[in-house]
Amino acid sequence: MVDWIEGKITGKKHWSQALYSLQIDAPLVEFKAGQYIKVALDVEGERVGRPYSLVNAPAEQPLEIYFNEIPEGPLTPRLSDLEAGDRIWVSDKASGVFTLDNVVSRKHLWMLATGTALGVFLSMLKTDEAWGAFERVILVHGARNTGELNYDETIAALRAAHPEQFTFVTALTRQVHDTSLQGRITQLLNSGELQVAANADINPDDSHLMLCGNSAMIKDVRAWLEERGMHRHKRHEPGHYTTEQYH
Ligand SMILES: Cc1cc2nc3c(=O)[nH]c(=O)nc-3n(C[C@H](O)[C@H](O)[C@H](O)COP(=O)(O)OP(=O)(O)OC[C@H]3O[C@@H](n4cnc5c(N)ncnc54)[C@H](O)[C@@H]3O)c2cc1C
């Protein structure tokens, strides 16, 4: 059972196409970067709630979620209609173990995101914890086109703060663009283009990977990693990758 608390929308950004962020003022208890909350609206007498990763770092207020409007979805078309001042329900606790304390400290931390899963990694990268345990942190964002490559100011600030340690690579599936790789993340791993672009190999000794986003990317990358002797990380059995699936 979720205990709901009432929050208030304090900001909204329509980035492009169907992509939005909402900022929510709500008295959430402490959370760890990488965790998600549930967000809900009352629709025709029923409370419709869905999980959303937090984009803000634990030390930052307000809460922020980044989402895709799914026209046929019960919640997101209503979320994108909200404006500053509107009320929204949020769960009183954050949940999830897709966090940096569930990662093995190795030379390279790879963060692979599709679509709106970029947000969860931004929350982590805004904490000190992300920068203490790895020689390099490589964030890979897979999207359909450049219109889906948002949060550029946050990424520019991370680049400026960690110029040697941070690498950001984008991969587009439906547009050719000179600053992005072309293709799905798994294709680019298979061809080695991703590793070349990041100037880092992926192997059991040097790498931990965090995968977040759609099920196809997670399934394919998992298979690719398992073929190379890399296994899912468990609390009592250190491995090489952790996952969070959105859909
Ligand atoms: C742990 C967790 C964290 C999540 N965090 C986020 C987040 O930070 N941002 C976010 O946008 N979504 C996130 N999701 C998905 C989110 O909970 C909703 O499913 C989504 O926003 C659609 O809600 P809906 O009610 O409109 O439609 P739903 O009935 O939930 O879904 C309708 C259809 O849309 C597909 N779908 C769901 N999410 C997406 C998506 N992000 N992109 C494309 N298609 C999708 C579903 O597979 C389904 O076919 C998360 C899911 C989980 C399990």
Side-chain angles (χ1 to χ4, degrees):
M1 268 296 281
V2 182
D3 285 326
W4 296 106
I5 50 178
E6 201 176 44
K8 191 161 106 181
I9 304 297
T10 55
K12 171 183 175 179
K13 182 156 178 135
H14 182 184
W15 291 95
S16 56
Q17 302 168 25
L19 289 162
Y20 296 83
S21 330
L22 284 175
Q23 296 189 320
I24 305 167
D25 180 30
L28 186 72
V29 290
E30 282 181 17
F31 73 94
K32 292 181 197 167
Q35 289 192 305
Y36 59 88
I37 53 168
K38 275 193 129 186
V39 161
L41 292 172
D42 293 335
V43 180
E44 291 158 17
E46 258 188 59
R47 189 149 300 172
V48 179
R50 295 282 185 269
Y52 291 93
S53 302
L54 289 166
V55 183
N56 57 300
E60 290 178 329
Q61 279 290 338
L63 304 176
E64 182 163 331
I65 61 170
Y66 177 47
F67 66 95
N68 222 0
E69 183 184 325
I70 313 286
E72 70 283 7
L75 187 63
T76 48
R78 291 171 169 93
L79 287 182
S80 59
D81 275 349
L82 294 174
E83 297 295 344
D86 287 342
R87 304 279 165 180
I88 187 167
W89 296 108
V90 299
S91 55
D92 70 338
K93 291 187 193 65
S95 313
V97 294
F98 190 67
T99 52
L100 287 166
D101 55 3
N102 233 340
V103 158
V104 180
S105 172
R106 295 207 176 88
K107 197 168 158 194
H108 298 152
L109 175 63
W110 290 78
M111 298 172 152
L112 309 189
T114 59
T116 53
L118 176 71
V120 73
F121 292 123
L122 298 182
S123 176
M124 294 182 210
L125 293 174
K126 287 191 269 179
T127 67
D128 291 340
E129 207 185 341
W131 304 102
F134 310 93
E135 222 170 87
R136 295 199 34 222
V137 177
I138 300 153
L139 173 62
V140 180
H141 188 202
R144 286 178 298 189
N145 51 50
T146 49
E148 295 184 353
L149 301 177
N150 297 317
Y151 283 101
D152 35 346
E153 279 180 23
T154 308
I155 287 162
L158 290 168
R159 277 184 153 141
H162 308 279
E164 306 296 326
Q165 220 181 339
F166 182 50
T167 302
F168 180 57
V169 180
T170 55
L172 301 178
T173 53
R174 299 200 193 160
Q175 187 187 342
V176 178
H177 193 264
D178 54 6
T179 58
S180 292
L181 298 178
Q182 170 78 38
R184 292 184 180 279
I185 289 176
T186 335
Q187 291 169 335
L188 297 166
L189 282 172
N190 258 327
S191 67
E193 284 168 85
L194 193 54
Q195 297 87 316
V196 169
N199 190 25
D201 192 19
I202 297 181
N203 61 57
D205 292 334
D206 293 337
S207 329
H208 187 105
L209 294 93
M210 301 184 87
L211 322 176
C212 187
N214 71 53
S215 50
M217 183 277 279
I218 292 175
K219 179 169 155 279
D220 293 350
V221 174
R222 279 184 61 179
W224 190 90
L225 294 171
E226 295 283 341
E227 276 169 24
R228 285 157 184 80
M230 301 176 77
H231 306 294
R232 180 187 282 283
H233 175 71
K234 299 180 187 138
R235 256 183 211 286
H236 302 293
E237 202 183 315
H240 304 91
Y241 65 88
T242 42
T243 65
E244 182 91 283
Q245 187 175 312
Y246 282 2
H247 61 102

